[in-house]
Amino acid sequence: MASISKICLYKPFSLSFAGSVKDQTLLQRCNFPATCILREQVPLKNECRVFARMPERTGTGVSTYLRETGTGENGDYARNDLDISHLISVLKFCGGEGCLEFGRTYHGLIAKTGLDGDEFVNTSLIDMYAKCGDIDSAVTVFNQMPRLDVASCNCLISGYANCGLFEEAFRLFMNYESWGNKPNSYTYSSMLAICGTLSAIEEGKQLHAQVVKMQYLSETAVSNALLTMYCKFEAMADAESLFERLPQRNIVSWTAIIHGLYQHEGFEKAMRLFCLMRESGIEPNDYTFTIALASCGNMKNIDNCRLLHGLVIKKGMALGEFVGTALIDMYSELRETDDAEKQFKEMGNLTSKVSRNALIKGLVQNEKAYEALDAFSEMVRKDAACDEFSFSPILKACASLPSFMSCQQIHAQVVKANFDKNTHVGSSLIEAYTRCGSVEDAEKVFSHISAPDVVSWNSVIKAYSQNGNPRRAISLFRTMIIKGFRPTGSTFLAVLSACSHSGKIQDGQEIFQSMINEFGVSPEEAHYSCMVDLLGRSGQIEKALDFINNTPIKPTASIWRPLLAACRCHNNLRIAEFAAKHILAMDPNDATVYVTLSNMYIEAGLLENAENQRKLMKLKEITKEPGCSWIEVNNKIHKFFSRDRRHPESEKIYNKLKQIMMLIKGTAYSTNADSLQVKEDFCLYHSEKLAVCFGLISLAAGKPVRIFKNLRVCTDCHMFMKFASMITDRVIILSDNYRFHHFNKGGCSCGDYW
């Protein structure tokens, strides 16, 4: 033990707490005696005051303090002059507050005065080291104890569990009897908690049998640990059966079963037990109310939620951090965002990072992206700390708009807060930049993530897939597998989409087969739809139809739609009618089907059939979604509709459009200018053309023009964008409801394969 003593006493040490409050609290809780038998009878409490007032604790200051109080190299404390209960109290405080260095110093004092042989002191040392995360020191103390009792074993088991060393905890538990100890109720509580964490069902059931045999079931802590364990096993029938047989139930028992039911979506059962708990005379605490509010919100019953809110107010808990945040979550779940914001404001100065994050998340979930950005801006203005739970939802808001400028501003905050290497935040950033059409920024973010996971890989593969670089997407997919990551359904959807966008039929078919045969991922509706698109887009209409007919699931409207789109592209009216019939059988109000058939009938010269489609739409009161395009300029979104003249800059926009059309018609490169002129009256004033012209007159020279559209871009507008990018020497990025088109110098990233 002398070696430990030497380390503890002479290791340079600094208490670098952020403020003096914690130092003073520590010294007050240490409760130094007024005087001790020292060489010069120096009052200890005076030294404590000097030590507490020191603005910065250095190794020299601590050494002086220990020497002057008799605890250092020259101190001569007698073993009997130290109060063991006082030492245990100090060690307990150090463990609770994580004051490892202060605890080490006391360990040195204990070793020097010969108290390291006391089993109570050693058990406290094990507990202190374990709670401070220094499990190696805890094990060293444990191994040097002359006699091991159940308390010291329990402390080390708890320490192993806190550090995630579950195998070591089990190994120690198996050795109890060899040391002459029998597990007590605390031992079983700890081991049952470990089984729940590991989902070790068989071991948990064996422990349950031992608990019954040892007659510990009547111990509330043990029965509650059993309840929690079965809830984590998702064995709710066993948990409910156990709960019914409990001889005693306290607030922990009720909360455990209510929480288990909530986690497994038994919201109504959870609320019934909540009511029964109150009827039995046990009042809910903050945690119970938090679960009840979450359950009530998921039941989508606004009246019951308001009644529960009233009860919370009556109990005086509505403004607390946990219950107040649960109220924000509940109203967000009910889509009552006004009530959520009202609750947030009522919390006033009691609002925390958690409650702010809850409000932002609720606004984003309810498609209130601008309000979420305002809430985040307010959070930043108040210098409130942001974490991954702040950044991830707000980046989703940026992606939903999409707002490239907001994304860049949030990214700056991410870097400032040192979260740019965080896996979850990085994945959200990649998704946001992808939705903004900036694949370069998405790649940079991915390269900075310290430990990319499957979600990060999926995001960057999707970025290249949607932005016209299928080769890079497929290459990343193969690299991901080489690095040992197992692809998920989302991975395959992204890479199959890349194959579909580029006409890589063989690659797509091979990847689809590997998904099933090699990786055991069951295809879902979206994967089948992507394969139909892959075959149909390449002109293999009959093969696409055969694929649909041979799918192991019943084809849905989403699987038939890409076939109809392929028929429109390749003028296959016969199969188009067949596909349309199946779509309308499942979705009779799909306006796209009627419009597609009408256009195909017109091109085939079947004008009567085309008119019938229009009449059917009118009879069924089906309206086509109007085309809408938008662009972000100076942090403001500007929306345009076809032939829209409501914008204040309309005159300049239309003049710019006419100017570009004249340049297109006059260009020597315009091999397709005639087709643009033929369609001029019909397509000239489509919304995306108005949006791009506004961008050209509003954005600084050389800056990319980013346009977003709610519908698929038409052939005429696609051709217009190619010419416009060449004439204006601008990069134009257009996102429709299917993919991104990056226009540059007269070409498009899609290679006209769309």
Side-chain angles (χ1 to χ4, degrees):
M1 200 66 188
S3 60
I4 293 181
S5 171
K6 191 172 182 180
I7 291 169
C8 294
L9 281 171
Y10 299 112
K11 181 181 177 182
F13 148 156
S14 173
L15 284 174
S16 55
F17 300 129
S20 63
V21 175
K22 189 172 183 181
D23 298 351
Q24 292 167 0
T25 304
L26 175 62
L27 294 169
Q28 289 166 8
R29 288 288 299 275
C30 287
N31 192 26
F32 285 101
T35 57
C36 287
I37 299 175
L38 307 175
R39 286 184 175 180
E40 300 179 14
Q41 293 288 334
V42 181
L44 268 179
K45 63 179 181 181
N46 293 334
E47 314 307 324
C48 294
R49 287 173 184 165
V50 174
F51 185 72
R53 286 198 300 270
M54 290 172 65
E56 182 177 349
R57 255 62 97 189
T58 63
T60 304
V62 172
S63 299
T64 302
Y65 169 72
L66 293 173
R67 185 175 63 252
E68 294 300 325
T69 55
T71 58
E73 183 179 7
N74 300 318
D76 286 330
Y77 269 145
R79 175 187 174 95
N80 295 333
D81 294 321
L82 284 176
D83 184 353
I84 290 178
S85 63
H86 160 68
L87 287 175
I88 292 171
S89 176
V90 172
L91 292 171
K92 181 179 179 182
F93 179 80
C94 290
E97 294 295 315
C99 301
L100 178 60
E101 293 302 325
F102 209 94
R104 285 187 192 279
T105 304
Y106 261 82
H107 190 177
L109 170 63
I110 289 164
K112 187 169 182 64
T113 54
L115 288 172
D116 50 330
D118 187 281
E119 61 185 61
F120 297 107
V121 173
N122 280 331
T123 299
S124 297
L125 279 168
I126 293 168
D127 183 59
M128 182 273 294
Y129 279 125
K131 287 179 178 175
C132 290
D134 186 358
I135 197 67
D136 291 336
S137 294
V139 172
T140 302
V141 175
F142 182 84
N143 289 337
Q144 292 182 353
M145 287 180 68
R147 179 183 172 277
L148 298 171
D149 61 3
V150 68
S152 55
C153 293
N154 286 348
C155 281
L156 190 55
I157 280 183
S158 180
Y160 278 139
N162 290 336
C163 295
L165 302 172
F166 302 117
E167 287 187 15
E168 286 82 351
F170 268 105
R171 195 176 297 116
L172 181 60
F173 175 75
M174 297 302 292
N175 286 327
Y176 261 54
E177 291 189 4
S178 66
W179 294 318
N181 295 321
K182 285 188 177 181
N184 60 15
S185 59
Y186 186 86
T187 317
Y188 283 114
S189 297
S190 299
M191 293 307 300
L192 290 167
I194 292 172
C195 288
T197 302
L198 294 176
S199 295
I201 298 174
E202 289 306 315
E203 291 82 355
K205 288 182 176 180
Q206 289 174 21
L207 284 171
H208 187 176
Q210 286 188 34
V211 164
V212 174
K213 182 180 178 181
M214 301 290 290
Q215 298 183 349
Y216 281 129
L217 196 57
S218 59
E219 295 278 350
T220 309
V222 177
S223 57
N224 290 342
L226 271 169
L227 262 180
T228 305
M229 181 189 75
Y230 280 118
C231 290
K232 288 183 177 179
F233 289 167
E234 301 185 8
M236 290 312 299
D238 291 328
E240 291 180 70
S241 175
L242 174 64
F243 180 77
E244 292 296 329
R245 299 196 311 272
L246 289 183
Q248 292 181 346
R249 300 171 186 165
N250 61 9
I251 183 64
V252 179
S253 315
W254 285 97
T255 304
I257 189 66
I258 291 169
H259 184 236
L261 290 166
Y262 162 74
Q263 284 188 315
H264 297 94
E265 300 185 0
F267 306 124
E268 290 187 17
K269 272 188 176 181
M271 289 308 298
R272 279 202 299 270
L273 282 176
F274 176 80
C275 295
L276 284 172
M277 179 188 74
R278 295 192 65 234
E279 289 173 9
S280 69
I282 296 178
E283 287 301 318
N285 58 20
D286 286 16
Y287 187 55
T288 321
F289 265 125
T290 300
I291 302 164
L293 289 165
S295 298
C296 207
N298 279 284
M299 288 170 64
K300 303 291 190 291
N301 188 317
I302 184 66
D303 294 329
N304 287 343
C305 288
R306 294 199 188 282
L307 286 172
L308 188 57
H309 188 177
L311 178 61
V312 168
I313 293 172
K314 185 178 178 181
K315 296 291 182 183
M317 297 182 179
L319 302 182
E321 178 182 356
F322 298 110
V323 178
T325 302
L327 282 165
I328 294 171
D329 283 332
M330 180 186 75
Y331 283 120
S332 298
E333 191 69 34
L334 294 166
R335 304 187 71 82
E336 299 287 341
T337 52
D338 290 342
D339 287 312
E341 291 185 83
K342 181 182 177 183
Q343 169 62 26
F344 179 80
K345 289 175 183 176
E346 286 177 353
M347 291 174 71
N349 293 331
L350 297 175
T351 55
S352 64
K353 177 171 63 178
V354 178
S355 52
R356 291 187 184 95
N357 289 349
L359 179 64
I360 291 170
K361 179 184 174 184
L363 291 169
V364 174
Q365 284 178 338
N366 287 283
E367 300 175 359
K368 292 183 178 289
Y370 292 111
E371 291 85 345
L373 285 167
D374 288 340
F376 181 81
S377 298
E378 182 67 18
M379 191 175 178
V380 172
R381 277 195 295 271
K382 290 185 176 180
D383 289 326
C386 297
D387 59 15
E388 61 184 290
F389 302 105
S390 314
F391 291 123
S392 292
I394 201 63
L395 286 167
K396 287 181 182 178
C398 296
S400 67
L401 290 172
S403 171
F404 183 63
M405 292 181 184
S406 296
C407 190
Q408 287 181 311
Q409 291 166 3
I410 303 297
H411 191 178
Q413 291 292 331
V414 167
V415 174
K416 184 179 178 181
N418 292 321
F419 276 93
D420 51 320
K421 298 185 188 310
N422 182 277
T423 305
H424 302 298
V425 176
S427 297
S428 297
L429 264 171
I430 294 169
E431 183 70 23
Y433 277 128
T434 299
R435 292 290 299 275
C436 294
S438 181
V439 71
E440 298 84 3
D441 287 309
E443 175 74 50
K444 286 177 185 176
V445 171
F446 180 75
S447 67
H448 279 87
I449 297 175
S450 56
D453 60 3
V454 173
V455 177
S456 311
W457 281 97
N458 289 352
S459 297
V460 75
I461 291 170
K462 181 181 176 183
Y464 282 106
S465 171
Q466 291 187 347
N467 284 275
N469 195 336
R471 289 183 181 177
R472 178 66 175 151
I474 296 169
S475 172
L476 282 169
F477 167 71
R478 288 171 177 153
T479 303
M480 169 187 175
I481 294 171
I482 291 170
K483 287 184 176 289
F485 291 93
R486 192 169 184 83
T488 64
S490 297
T491 319
F492 284 106
L493 186 59
V495 76
L496 286 173
S497 179
C499 294
S500 173
H501 289 166
S502 56
K504 294 183 177 294
I505 300 168
Q506 185 175 347
D507 285 336
Q509 289 176 324
E510 288 175 358
I511 289 168
F512 183 76
Q513 289 302 318
S514 73
M515 170 185 175
I516 302 167
N517 300 328
E518 186 177 348
F519 296 99
V521 178
S522 298
E524 298 177 3
E525 179 184 301
H527 299 101
Y528 290 118
S529 177
C530 203
M531 288 301 294
V532 173
D533 188 58
L534 172 71
L535 295 168
R537 188 187 296 270
S538 66
Q540 300 183 38
I541 306 295
E542 295 287 348
K543 284 187 177 181
L545 181 58
D546 288 340
F547 181 86
I548 292 175
N549 290 330
N550 289 301
T551 54
I553 65 170
K554 182 180 178 181
T556 62
S558 296
I559 294 175
W560 285 104
R561 284 190 183 104
L563 181 63
L564 177 62
C567 291
R568 171 78 174 90
C569 182
H570 295 285
N571 297 315
N572 192 320
L573 183 57
R574 179 180 62 83
I575 295 181
E577 290 177 324
F578 183 72
K581 179 181 176 181
H582 281 85
I583 297 170
L584 293 175
M586 290 174 273
D587 187 2
N589 294 321
D590 188 340
T592 307
V593 177
Y594 295 99
V595 173
T596 300
L597 281 179
S598 176
N599 291 336
M600 291 186 75
Y601 284 137
I602 290 171
E603 290 174 2
L606 303 172
L607 301 182
E608 186 177 347
N609 289 7
E611 183 62 25
N612 287 338
Q613 292 298 314
R614 299 288 178 178
K615 286 179 179 178
L616 278 172
M617 288 183 69
K618 189 174 182 180
L619 181 66
K620 295 181 178 181
E621 298 181 344
I622 299 171
T623 56
K624 180 188 174 185
E625 181 183 6
C628 172
S629 299
W630 60 96
I631 181 174
E632 182 183 20
V633 175
N634 297 327
N635 279 331
K636 184 179 179 182
I637 302 293
H638 299 260
K639 285 189 175 183
F640 296 89
F641 293 89
S642 183
R643 298 182 178 274
D644 195 349
R645 289 187 177 272
R646 289 171 294 180
H647 197 278
E649 301 288 336
S650 286
E651 186 175 349
K652 292 181 181 179
I653 292 168
Y654 278 84
N655 286 339
K656 186 67 175 178
L657 178 57
K658 290 176 183 176
Q659 177 190 354
I660 292 173
M661 284 302 300
M662 288 178 65
L663 290 171
I664 289 174
K665 292 172 186 176
T667 181
Y669 301 100
S670 180
T671 56
N672 294 309
D674 291 340
S675 63
L676 279 174
Q677 188 172 1
V678 170
K679 295 184 179 180
E680 182 176 329
D681 292 338
F682 184 68
C683 300
L684 179 60
Y685 303 115
H686 275 185
S687 61
E688 55 265 57
K689 289 176 180 171
L690 300 179
V692 78
C693 288
F694 176 66
L696 290 170
I697 65 173
S698 304
L699 296 171
K703 197 170 184 179
V705 180
R706 301 173 190 275
I707 309 296
F708 302 89
K709 186 175 182 180
N710 63 332
L711 303 177
R712 193 168 182 177
V713 63
C714 70
T715 307
D716 181 79
C717 289
H718 188 270
M719 194 181 302
F720 172 86
M721 297 297 170
K722 290 199 295 182
F723 282 117
S725 71
M726 178 179 64
I727 290 167
T728 62
D729 195 25
R730 287 278 194 121
V731 173
I732 299 173
I733 301 167
L734 171 63
S735 170
D736 60 16
N737 67 344
Y738 187 70
R739 64 174 296 168
F740 277 90
H741 298 268
H742 293 250
F743 300 96
N744 189 20
K745 301 186 184 303
C748 179
S749 59
C750 72
D752 294 335
Y753 189 86
W754 58 282

